[in-house]
Structure formats: C-alpha cells, structure tokens
Amino acid sequence: MALSLARVASNLSRAVASRTWTASAVVGARGKHTLPDLPYDYNALEPVVSAEIMEIHHAKHHQTYVNNLNALEEQHAEAVGTGDIAKVISLQGGLKFNGGGHINHTIFWTNLAPSSQGGGDEPTGDLLSAINKDFGSLDKFRDDFSAKTVAVQGSGWGWLGFNKAAGRLEIATCANQDPLQPTTGLIPLLGIDVWEHAYYLQYKNVRPDYVKAVWEVVNWNNVAERYSEAQQ
C-alpha cells in the first residue's frame, strides 16, 4: 500500500530529531513544515554549484515541496475527519512525493559545504574505516556510488545508507523523490540529487560531470555525524 501520512510524519520526526538537521526544518506536530535555512550562502558552493542553481533549487523547488506537503496534510486531516477513505487513499502519492522531497532536500543541504566549512575534505575515523571495510577503499566507493547515481533513469537520488540490521554501509538509488529509509530500510547518510534542476543550468545534460564535481563540496563531517547517530 502507498506510504501513509503517519509514516511520512514518523520519518520526518525521526530525521528532525537528528542534530544534523537545522532547527527550522520542521515545526512541531501541530504546526506546518517550513523551509530550512541553508547553513551557507547561495554562492558558497561555487564554482561546483552556481548561486543561481542553489537559489532556484532551495527557494523554489524545495519550497514547493513544503507548500504542497502542508496542503496535502490539511486535506488528509479533513478526509480522515469526515471518514472519506477514497480521498485518504488518493492523497498517498502526493504525500510520498512531497514529503520525500522535503526529507531528501533537507538532508542534501547539510551533506554539502563550502571548502571553508570542510567541504571536499576526505572522511576520517570510523566512517573511513567502514567505507574501506564495505567497499574496499574510498576511491572504489566513490567510483561505485558515482556510476550508480549517474545511471539513475529520469529523476532521482543516489544514496549512501546504513543497514542497521547488517551493520554495514550500502549504496542505493531511489526514483523521483522516494525517501531512502521508507523505500529501502537504509538510514540516509549522504544523498546526491540528480534531478535536472540540481545541475542543468550549469552542466546541461552532462550528469557525469556534475556528479564528479559535487564530491568537491561533500560535507563528510555531516556524513560522519549521521553515521554515528545511525549506529545508536
């Protein structure tokens, strides 16, 4: 059955509980979802990602997911209140798409950082050890992750996730805005957005160049924090 509102809300709540999300990402259960502030300026990731792309991506695309999610949750609450089961069911796809868009992007912004904030620095410590154990080396991981992410058909995401049951890191891809944890069970650590709105104005249709370049602004400190929390 399609992802229910309860599961969307639950996943949002679990993600927001992490300190790696900004405090403004989502308000309390009785309030509305809000657009998180970026932890850097729109031009901070240049030349890897242009200020124009960042502003459109954050202020337009992510904001639209937030707006739509709020509207759909209101409709869902009304439908539940009136016992309109057909309406409840009809809203599931929109809740999954827009809820996933909000979850994915809020993680994505913190997964990136300018060089002045550690963007592009290589992982260290427990995270690097886990990458070496599960993928052979950091270079092998990046090559595998990049290949699978570039190969996403249409729009979607490439993810590094933690399989808590198996105690290992895994690479996965998700179509459209499908959120990683409800879709695969993996806890999201690092996501790269390969919707064209994330890169087309700068990289045109050459997705491999975008994916190669974005490693220069990956915030491995943030990924390491998420890895540490995922193991708890």
Side-chain angles (χ1 to χ4, degrees), residues 149-156 175-176 207:
T149 301
V150 167
V152 169
Q153 295 183 351
S155 301
N176 300 313
R207 182 186 286 176

Side-chain angles (χ1 to χ4, degrees), residues 199-217:
Y199 62 88
Y200 194 86
L201 290 177
Q202 187 171 354
Y203 294 89
K204 306 309 179 191
N205 64 329
V206 191
R207 182 186 286 176
D209 286 357
Y210 159 70
V211 172
K212 180 180 179 180
V214 82
W215 292 110
E216 298 176 21
V217 291

Side-chain angles (χ1 to χ4, degrees), residues 94-110:
L95 287 165
K96 180 179 181 180
F97 180 78
N98 290 285
H102 184 31
I103 291 170
N104 294 342
H105 285 87
T106 305
I107 295 171
F108 181 56
W109 307 134
T110 66

Side-chain angles (χ1 to χ4, degrees), residues 22-146:
T22 59
S24 62
V26 177
V27 297
R30 296 183 181 84
K32 292 182 178 293
H33 305 288
T34 60
L35 183 71
D37 296 329
L38 293 183
Y40 39 77
D41 294 332
Y42 284 133
N43 65 355
L45 302 183
E46 291 186 334
V48 175
V49 185
S50 71
E52 181 182 17
I53 288 176
M54 288 299 298
E55 183 171 6
I56 294 171
H57 198 173
H58 175 257
K60 300 296 184 182
H61 288 279
H62 191 173
Q63 183 68 69
T64 297
Y65 296 126
V66 171
N67 293 345
N68 289 343
L69 179 59
N70 285 326
L72 286 162
E73 287 190 340
E74 289 181 3
Q75 294 175 49
H76 187 278
E78 181 179 352
V80 169
T82 59
D84 188 346
I85 303 303
K87 180 68 171 179
V88 169
I89 293 171
S90 74
L91 295 170
Q92 299 304 300
L95 287 165
K96 180 179 181 180
F97 180 78
N98 290 285
H102 184 31
I103 291 170
N104 294 342
H105 285 87
T106 305
I107 295 171
F108 181 56
W109 307 134
T110 66
N111 278 166
L112 305 178
S115 59
S116 61
Q117 296 178 22
D121 292 350
E122 295 199 344
T124 59
D126 290 344
L127 176 60
L128 180 59
S129 296
I131 289 172
N132 288 336
K133 175 177 70 73
D134 293 330
F135 301 105
S137 70
L138 179 60
D139 286 341
K140 288 180 179 177
F141 159 71
R142 273 195 292 239
D143 289 346
D144 191 15
F145 185 105
S146 295

